[in-house]
Amino acid sequence: MEFQGFPRIHSIFYAVFDIIKGTVVKHQVPEGSITPQSTQDALNESTKTLIDFEAISEYIIPKKQLYKRLVTICTNGYKVMGCPVVLHDHEKYRHFRNEFRFNLCFVFEQDAETSSYEAVVRKLSRVLEGLELECNFLSKDVSSESQTVQNVIEQLFEDLNSYCECQVPIISLDTFNTINLKLFPTYPNPRTVYDYQVPVCTVDVKKMMNPNWDITVQKVASLINGINHVKRIAELANVKGEWARQSMEHMMYYGCIIMTDIFQYSNVYAVKPEITHAPEISVERIYALYCGLKYGLTVKDWIEEQQLSSLHIDERRVISFGVIKGLIYRVHKYPILASTNESETQSNNFPSKDQYHLIINKYTGATIHPDIIPYLDGKHHYDEICTNLECSPQELNEQLGCGQQQFDETQPKHTVNTVYEDDKQNEGQPQWCVQFIFR
């Protein structure tokens, strides 16, 4: 996934609670961006503030339930983010009603993606609290004309906007501290990875690898070739399937790989509506290739129909590119063991384990393998079943009987009869058939 960059900080301000005036802005950058510097500025429209501070002041220094929590307020087209703090000390803060309350806030555009700044705001809150407890850094600033805090927020404003990181030295009479901050991009959690999926690299992972990488990730990453599915990679790397899936999710989080389906010439794909809204494609033939994919047409038939052999292109890459870019989607095949008695429901009459051996394929006369039957609930498609049972689609077709019947895959549902071994002995028993759903 592509990172869009960090949002710009429009203002940083430091507010405290004054026992006479209430919540006041002690320092701000740029000057006059939050509250007017003078009465004249307040009357001058050209020096209008970004926000109406009085309207949100009760959330800047809030009630006790919100202290040490990230508080975000949207007002006047801007987003204000802070983490208020209150410190109690009867002796130290006797001139502040026995407690000291403050908040350092950042101001962004209202629609800005500010998740990367949440950790920064929380950390600054903790650091300033620690500096106050250690050397009265903040309370000394309030009771004097010192510009120490002003200097700090000025450097924060300039460095974070310009370099996405900053290092601010804090020097007092007997201590020396440094505030170190760095912005990191945040990404949404990756989707769950399944054994039957195929990872495809979006960057050259092998060139990125170094000896400091996790050993399992190194093993897994070295076997990603756009062909091997996750379970196969786990077997080749000799690692647990769970570890392989976690490694894939880790690489997906950082945008190193993307997941697609197992490529087979028996696969069926269909065009997504998005392709009609895509910008004009210069290579008209490629556009026509994608539009030629449809329900009921396997990749093998599509290759023949579109005469791909004459184009000298890699059909696997054409399909993978279309899936990754959202131009086409895979039409999966889901087998369902359904009762032929319309008055009976599948959930009430699904065969028990001791009945598995009675179910045979009407067309071959062979018993359906008992390992297959639990997957015939309509929730598992061919890729998943074949991966878990380590069989080919052709073998699964033979087991379920669809290899002996011809049916129209353009229809969403198809039926292949599968009955009990001895119909006479089992007369009155619920009868079953295997149906196929394509979606």
Side-chain angles (χ1 to χ4, degrees):
M1 63 196 72
E2 186 177 351
F3 178 61
Q4 300 299 321
F6 300 108
R8 179 170 181 78
I9 305 169
H10 285 267
S11 176
I12 301 178
F13 65 92
Y14 168 69
V16 297
F17 184 78
D18 185 281
I19 59 176
I20 298 175
K21 300 177 183 178
T23 302
V24 295
V25 175
K26 184 68 176 175
H27 301 290
Q28 56 187 309
V29 178
E31 294 290 344
S33 59
I34 305 301
T35 57
Q37 293 298 97
S38 64
T39 305
Q40 185 177 357
D41 289 340
L43 298 174
N44 189 347
E45 293 186 1
S46 63
T47 58
K48 190 177 180 180
T49 59
L50 297 177
I51 60 175
D52 182 358
F53 180 75
E54 293 298 326
I56 64 169
S57 59
E58 63 178 312
Y59 301 105
I60 301 301
I61 303 294
K63 295 181 179 180
K64 61 181 180 180
Q65 292 87 346
L66 294 178
Y67 282 105
K68 294 190 178 181
R69 294 178 181 272
L70 193 70
V71 178
T72 302
I73 312 111
C74 292
T75 177
N76 197 34
Y78 290 95
K79 181 189 297 185
V80 181
M81 183 188 297
C83 187
V85 177
V86 60
L87 300 174
H88 301 276
D89 191 316
H90 294 287
E91 179 63 28
K92 187 175 181 180
Y93 303 124
R94 61 182 181 273
H95 299 301
F96 301 98
R97 291 182 182 173
N98 303 323
E99 63 183 17
F100 182 67
R101 292 183 275 177
F102 70 91
N103 196 356
L104 184 69
C105 298
F106 286 61
V107 181
F108 308 91
E109 289 184 2
Q110 183 170 320
D111 298 329
E113 172 52 57
T114 56
S115 56
S116 298
Y117 274 94
E118 292 177 0
V120 169
V121 172
R122 287 193 178 99
K123 180 177 179 178
L124 274 172
S125 175
R126 295 193 304 269
V127 169
L128 293 177
E129 180 184 359
L131 288 171
E132 171 61 20
L133 293 173
E134 181 180 341
C135 59
N136 304 326
F137 177 71
L138 300 176
S139 54
K140 283 192 302 186
D141 181 86
V142 171
S143 58
S144 69
E145 296 300 321
S146 171
Q147 293 293 303
T148 306
V149 176
Q150 178 70 22
N151 296 336
V152 169
I153 65 173
E154 284 179 356
Q155 187 169 347
L156 289 173
F157 182 80
E158 293 295 333
D159 289 359
L160 289 178
N161 272 335
S162 301
Y163 311 112
C164 302
E165 61 180 82
C166 69
Q167 187 177 64
V168 185
I170 306 296
I171 304 173
S172 61
L173 293 176
D174 53 355
T175 59
F176 178 83
N177 294 281
T178 304
I179 300 176
N180 294 293
L181 299 172
K182 184 177 178 64
L183 295 173
F184 292 94
T186 57
Y187 301 106
N189 290 332
R191 295 181 179 179
T192 303
V193 171
Y194 298 98
D195 286 341
Y196 54 82
Q197 292 179 313
V198 176
V200 177
C201 292
T202 57
V203 296
D204 194 335
V205 177
K206 293 180 180 178
K207 286 186 177 180
M208 295 172 59
M209 278 196 292
N210 63 66
N212 296 322
W213 278 31
D214 178 83
I215 296 176
T216 302
V217 175
Q218 290 188 57
K219 286 184 176 180
V220 168
S222 64
L223 294 168
I224 296 176
N225 59 3
I227 300 174
N228 295 330
H229 54 69
V230 174
K231 186 174 182 180
R232 177 60 175 162
I233 291 174
E235 292 171 349
L236 293 174
N238 194 26
V239 300
K240 292 183 179 179
E242 180 183 359
W243 295 356
R245 291 191 295 271
Q246 288 179 352
S247 298
M248 300 289 184
E249 289 177 0
H250 185 78
M251 287 186 280
M252 281 179 64
Y253 179 83
Y254 289 103
C256 297
I257 62 172
I258 191 170
M259 289 295 174
T260 185
D261 57 283
I262 300 173
F263 179 85
Q264 299 171 104
Y265 289 99
S266 59
N267 288 356
V268 175
Y269 294 88
V271 177
K272 283 189 173 182
E274 287 78 4
I275 195 170
T276 60
H277 304 295
E280 184 178 353
I281 300 176
S282 58
V283 184
E284 296 179 357
R285 188 72 178 91
I286 296 296
Y287 184 84
L289 288 178
Y290 285 124
C291 292
L293 293 164
K294 56 189 175 182
Y295 267 81
L297 187 70
T298 66
V299 172
K300 182 179 180 181
D301 295 336
W302 171 74
I303 290 173
E304 294 177 357
E305 184 178 286
Q306 298 293 333
Q307 299 179 348
L308 256 67
S309 58
S310 64
L311 299 178
H312 305 289
I313 61 175
D314 188 334
E315 60 270 12
R316 182 190 299 274
R317 293 191 177 187
V318 171
I319 294 294
S320 296
F321 180 85
V323 172
I324 291 170
K325 296 299 182 181
L327 301 177
I328 60 175
Y329 64 95
R330 171 74 181 281
V331 180
H332 282 288
K333 183 177 178 180
Y334 294 79
I336 306 174
L337 189 63
S339 174
T340 58
N341 187 345
E342 295 182 358
S343 64
E344 301 289 346
T345 62
Q346 179 178 343
S347 59
N348 293 334
N349 291 282
F350 201 86
S352 59
K353 288 187 177 180
D354 58 354
Q355 294 176 314
Y356 285 1
H357 69 285
L358 298 174
I359 301 179
I360 67 166
N361 184 329
K362 176 181 177 180
Y363 298 96
T364 64
T367 303
I368 294 180
H369 197 287
D371 288 348
I372 298 176
I373 296 176
Y375 289 97
L376 306 182
D377 57 1
K379 299 179 181 179
H380 308 277
H381 52 67
Y382 259 48
D383 280 3
E384 180 179 358
I385 299 172
C386 292
T387 301
N388 291 343
L389 299 182
E390 299 182 349
C391 66
S392 68
Q394 291 74 20
E395 291 172 331
L396 185 57
N397 280 339
E398 292 173 2
Q399 283 284 321
L400 299 182
C402 64
Q404 288 72 36
Q405 273 194 325
Q406 297 294 324
F407 47 76
D408 184 7
E409 291 189 2
T410 62
Q411 300 299 318
K413 182 183 290 187
H414 311 277
T415 301
V416 177
N417 291 323
T418 306
V419 300
Y420 279 114
E421 186 174 2
D422 188 341
D423 289 342
K424 293 181 180 180
Q425 291 182 2
N426 293 284
E427 188 173 353
Q429 294 276 8
Q431 300 296 297
W432 294 88
C433 65
V434 177
Q435 297 178 343
F436 295 91
I437 303 295
F438 293 85
R439 62 174 185 266

